[in-house]
Amino acid sequence: MATAASAQLSKSVKQKYMELPQGDKVQAMYIWIDGTGEGLRCKTRTLDSEPKSIDELPEWNFDGSSTYQSEGSNSDMYLIPVAMFRDPFRKDPNKLVLCEVLKYNHKPAETNLRLSCRKIMDMVANHNPWFGMEQEYTLLGTDGHPFGWPTNGFPGPQGPYYCGVGADKAYGRDIVESHYRACLYAGVKLYGTNAEVMPAQWEFQIGPCEGIEMGDHLWIARFILHRVCEDFGVVASFDPKPIPGNWNGAGCHTNFSTKEMREEGGLKFIEEAIDKLSKRHSYHIRAYDPKGGLDNARRLTGRHETSNIHEFSAGVANRGASIRIPRSVGQDKKGYFEDRRPSANCDPYAVTEALIRTCLLSEEGDEPVDYKN
């Protein structure tokens, strides 16, 4: 399995420099989503003091023609800080800064889905919408071969790997543990993690998060995972079907509830939301992967714990359904439901916005409603 050359550089030599004092200065790493809607970019600037809030962070800019976001003749794009986390790589007082991207005319870039999501979340703040997203991913070598798989073959069939323990079952746990601790240090709401069904496939869960916070925390958790993998010389893939054939794909199951759903008698509101979702299946499929459903078509086949992409279904404790109601929720008559359709490479802003539009704003049809300010 090929690993990145940079991973072979001496980390002890680097540490000698990282231990140098930095005075009162602070390094702020600005992070944004590029023009693919999947990739993340970053660059660092020096601040004169430690920022205590987003309001203290300056706007910045970058060359959008090199990130698939503009033409070279008019390439200035603006970075608008929207969320700040502790930096687990440089450590305190340094920061990770998640940014929205605006074009030269200060309108949102095509892949800046956060702006629209925030407006929708503000409209339903009184419902206290909670989300939890289960991010699956696959560890690969730089040659695209799954981490730990035989060079010219396949590991044993699926079965012993899910939540597995042992060198022949858990591939890459060092990366998972490093990512977990880095997220906790950063202040990311990481709920848990486990090995998944396919060897070299893992999952971490983010949440519960309210409103726009869901997308912010998942994107930063993804960034931290990419950076941890960079140190180990491997690649984290969010492709929804990285290995064709009789292997599980990778999704981003999304758990959703409102204040009304979590209170006594909440099952009534859960069932009403599922009924609305059943009438808007194609709209959600388009919103649930960055290619309008084409990526998910490889994953949602009705096999390997997935529903069929062309059909809507719901059921209690059914992992082959579009929507799963956990058994405990069916018994308690309140709680949440799980939408199992989003792909691993989905944009959480698009997913959570779509759920709010359908379940709380009662939108119908294949297009989102344009709410004027």
Side-chain angles (χ1 to χ4, degrees), residues 41-80:
R41 306 294 178 112
C42 64
K43 64 176 185 172
T44 302
R45 69 180 296 164
T46 303
L47 305 177
D48 290 332
S49 60
E50 181 180 1
K52 302 301 181 184
S53 70
I54 283 295
D55 297 334
E56 297 178 23
L57 290 164
E59 296 181 7
W60 206 8
N61 56 66
F62 69 96
D63 171 17
S65 67
S66 299
T67 61
Y68 315 116
Q69 287 172 295
S70 70
E71 298 178 356
S73 59
N74 194 3
S75 65
D76 278 358
M77 309 284 284
Y78 297 99
L79 293 173
I80 313 300

Side-chain angles (χ1 to χ4, degrees), residues 4-315:
S6 58
Q8 311 306 317
L9 296 174
S10 172
K11 304 304 179 185
S12 59
V13 172
K14 174 192 171 187
Q15 191 59 30
K16 180 173 67 173
Y17 297 101
M18 297 304 291
E19 290 173 353
L20 292 172
Q22 59 187 76
D24 295 329
K25 302 295 184 181
V26 170
Q27 290 174 279
M29 179 172 282
Y30 281 45
I31 301 159
W32 69 97
I33 302 162
D34 70 16
T36 66
E38 300 179 60
L40 287 163
R41 306 294 178 112
C42 64
K43 64 176 185 172
T44 302
R45 69 180 296 164
T46 303
L47 305 177
D48 290 332
S49 60
E50 181 180 1
K52 302 301 181 184
S53 70
I54 283 295
D55 297 334
E56 297 178 23
L57 290 164
E59 296 181 7
W60 206 8
N61 56 66
F62 69 96
D63 171 17
S65 67
S66 299
T67 61
Y68 315 116
Q69 287 172 295
S70 70
E71 298 178 356
S73 59
N74 194 3
S75 65
D76 278 358
M77 309 284 284
Y78 297 99
L79 293 173
I80 313 300
V82 292
M84 182 170 64
F85 298 82
R86 297 169 71 196
D87 187 336
F89 306 104
R90 294 165 173 154
K91 300 182 181 177
D92 290 337
N94 303 299
K95 304 297 181 185
L96 301 180
V97 181
L98 182 65
C99 299
E100 287 189 20
V101 176
L102 301 182
K103 295 188 285 190
Y104 70 95
N105 57 6
H106 286 273
K107 292 185 178 181
E110 282 72 13
T111 53
N112 176 5
L113 305 185
R114 186 184 188 277
L115 191 64
S116 171
C117 181
R118 179 172 55 81
K119 290 178 180 178
I120 295 298
M121 293 299 173
D122 288 345
M123 292 172 62
V124 298
N126 60 310
H127 292 280
N128 301 117
W130 288 6
F131 301 93
M133 299 186 77
E134 306 170 18
Q135 177 68 71
E136 294 178 333
Y137 63 95
T138 309
L139 296 175
L140 308 174
T142 53
D143 57 359
H145 194 71
F147 180 85
W149 285 33
T151 303
N152 296 309
F154 298 91
Q158 296 181 155
Y161 308 107
Y162 173 70
C163 298
V165 179
D168 59 340
K169 300 178 182 68
Y171 298 10
R173 191 184 298 276
D174 284 354
I175 295 167
V176 175
E177 294 293 339
S178 300
H179 173 249
Y180 202 139
R181 189 60 61 88
C183 282
L184 293 180
Y185 180 95
V188 172
K189 291 186 176 180
L190 197 150
Y191 182 86
T193 189
N194 59 269
E196 265 302 332
V197 176
M198 187 180 81
Q201 186 185 72
W202 294 81
E203 171 184 301
F204 63 87
Q205 304 96 31
I206 300 294
C209 294
E210 185 166 333
I212 197 67
E213 186 181 57
M214 182 67 253
D216 293 349
H217 280 246
L218 183 55
W219 274 115
I220 286 294
R222 287 174 174 177
F223 172 82
I224 292 173
L225 178 61
H226 285 309
R227 275 287 288 107
V228 167
C229 286
E230 185 181 316
D231 284 345
F232 282 96
V234 299
V235 175
S237 170
F238 297 113
D239 189 285
K241 189 69 175 180
I243 307 299
N246 196 26
W247 302 98
N248 272 36
C252 195
H253 304 156
T254 301
N255 302 281
F256 172 61
S257 70
T258 63
K259 179 177 62 176
E260 295 81 4
M261 294 177 188
R262 296 187 293 270
E263 295 173 346
E264 292 300 324
L267 185 60
K268 169 180 175 288
F269 296 97
I270 292 173
E271 291 173 339
E272 288 175 356
I274 293 174
D275 182 62
K276 294 174 184 177
L277 289 168
S278 71
K279 300 170 183 175
R280 219 179 183 209
H281 181 59
S282 60
Y283 164 74
H284 282 265
I285 288 297
R286 289 205 315 275
Y288 284 0
D289 82 49
K291 296 182 178 65
L294 294 178
D295 276 347
N296 241 343
R298 295 183 284 123
R299 167 181 161 259
L300 296 179
T301 61
R303 301 180 63 218
H304 306 111
E305 300 182 49
T306 70
S307 59
N308 188 299
I309 193 170
H310 302 296
E311 301 170 359
F312 181 88
S313 57

